[in-house]
Amino acid sequence: MTLKTVLKSVLRRAGYAVYAIPKAGGERRGDYAYAEAHPNATLAPWLTDDDFMQAFEVAKSNTLVDIYRLHELWSLVAETDKAGGDIVEVGVWRGGSGCLMAKKAQLMGANSTVWLCDTFSGVVKAGDQDSYYRGGEHSDTSEAVVSDLAARLGLNNIKTLTGIFPDDTGAQLDASAVRLLHIDVDVYQSARDTVDYLWDRMPSGAAIVFDDYGFVGCEGVTRYADSLRERQDLTYLHNLNGHAVLVKR
Ligand SMILES: C[S@@+](CC[C@H](N)C(=O)[O-])C[C@H]1O[C@@H](n2cnc3c(N)ncnc32)[C@H](O)[C@@H]1O
């Protein structure tokens, strides 16, 4: 075993991934091409959103998600309000992205429960479609870590479901409609099972966000999200922040 392999394996167990930066101009890796994307636009709406920035300061050390994707989730809580229903996150880890969505919903006075679903023992269902994840990554968290963050943000609208979603906890998700579904599970099968389980409960105007879509090492999620593009009952957007966003028609 080389030093590089040992290091990668230690970091993987600690929940970190190390990838070579794509060559200047981009490069092909397997089925997909990767490049560092630096769009020319400079509008930064998160900087003038005081509520967001305040909540972000509290939540930022509990999340792996960057400010660009977090602010998009925050905005989608408002955008999907007219569709009606609850908000679900599968893949919570230490609660940062899920609690920020809950904070926005609470500030708006939205009549939505925010369901936070995680094994709290790491990634599951890694398989042939997945290039990096093997299972067990991101186990360095607990339900208590998330409750602590929720208390610091003053949340009163979250419910936490502990176990594999939907296999163990789907039946406890007592929501007749889901208007926003944030999927941050890293691997193909968990992403697919989540959509299969909840799609019929999503009203017109509801959105699904795949956090992992644009990231090397998450090709299983990229492949699954791409497979949904053929459907006639949704509109599909790839945001260069890494999200794939699907809006149900
Ligand atoms: C990258 S982390 C989530 C990051 C989080 N959204 C944040 O704000 O940083 C992925 C999480 O997905 C969870 N997970 C993966 N598949 C799952 C499944 N089928 N059911 C429940 N949790 C799952 C793992 O336990 C892990 O905590």
Side-chain angles (χ1 to χ4, degrees):
M1 209 184 251
T2 63
L3 180 61
K4 194 170 151 193
T5 321
V6 174
L7 265 175
K8 272 192 165 178
S9 139
V10 170
L11 286 166
R12 182 202 302 276
R13 267 184 266 126
Y16 296 99
V18 182
Y19 305 105
I21 295 167
K23 286 183 194 135
E27 67 178 281
R28 185 138 188 152
R29 292 188 189 168
D31 291 344
Y32 295 98
Y34 296 88
E36 286 196 287
H38 300 291
N40 291 330
T42 51
L43 186 71
W46 52 93
L47 294 176
T48 47
D49 188 335
D50 293 342
D51 287 339
F52 173 78
M53 289 308 293
Q54 259 174 37
F56 173 72
E57 282 305 315
V58 179
K60 68 183 182 190
S61 55
N62 282 54
T63 185
L64 299 165
V65 179
D66 61 46
I67 196 167
Y68 314 111
R69 285 176 287 152
L70 289 171
H71 192 256
E72 182 167 77
L73 291 170
W74 178 271
S75 306
L76 281 168
V77 171
E79 290 298 325
T80 57
D81 190 39
K82 39 195 175 291
D86 284 353
I87 295 168
V88 177
E89 176 173 85
V90 184
V92 176
W93 189 56
R94 295 182 180 168
S97 55
C99 287
L100 275 180
M101 290 192 292
K103 184 70 185 180
K104 177 63 175 174
Q106 189 168 306
L107 285 170
M108 290 173 58
N111 184 24
S112 306
T113 297
V114 181
W115 300 84
L116 301 180
C117 312
D118 205 295
T119 62
F120 296 109
S121 53
V123 169
V124 289
K125 301 188 185 181
D128 293 348
Q129 304 272 6
D130 308 299
S131 65
Y132 175 76
Y133 283 91
R134 298 287 173 264
E137 298 84 357
H138 307 304
S139 60
D140 48 347
T141 183
S142 66
E143 214 180 316
V145 169
V146 176
S147 308
D148 172 68
L149 176 62
R152 284 188 282 126
L153 286 166
L155 300 178
N156 60 13
N157 57 349
I158 63 160
K159 286 190 182 162
T160 304
L161 301 182
T162 301
I164 298 174
F165 187 88
D167 317 40
D168 300 335
T169 58
Q172 297 167 50
L173 201 156
D174 179 20
S176 54
V178 173
R179 65 175 166 99
L180 178 58
L181 171 58
H182 181 222
I183 301 179
D184 190 1
V185 293
D186 300 314
V187 297
Y188 176 93
Q189 198 61 49
S190 281
R192 181 175 176 159
D193 291 350
T194 298
V195 175
D196 285 348
Y197 193 78
L198 291 175
W199 180 257
D200 288 344
R201 287 192 223 181
M202 302 190 72
S204 171
I208 300 177
V209 178
F210 290 99
D211 179 80
D212 309 303
Y213 180 81
F215 294 88
V216 70
C218 297
E219 292 83 355
V221 177
T222 313
R223 199 166 286 123
Y224 173 61
D226 277 345
S227 76
L228 297 172
R229 293 178 101 130
E230 299 166 2
R231 293 182 65 132
Q232 298 301 306
D233 53 355
L234 56 83
T235 301
Y236 184 103
L237 169 82
H238 170 207
N239 188 327
L240 292 179
N241 64 16
H243 275 164
V245 181
L246 277 55
V247 180
K248 194 168 183 178
R249 288 193 183 149

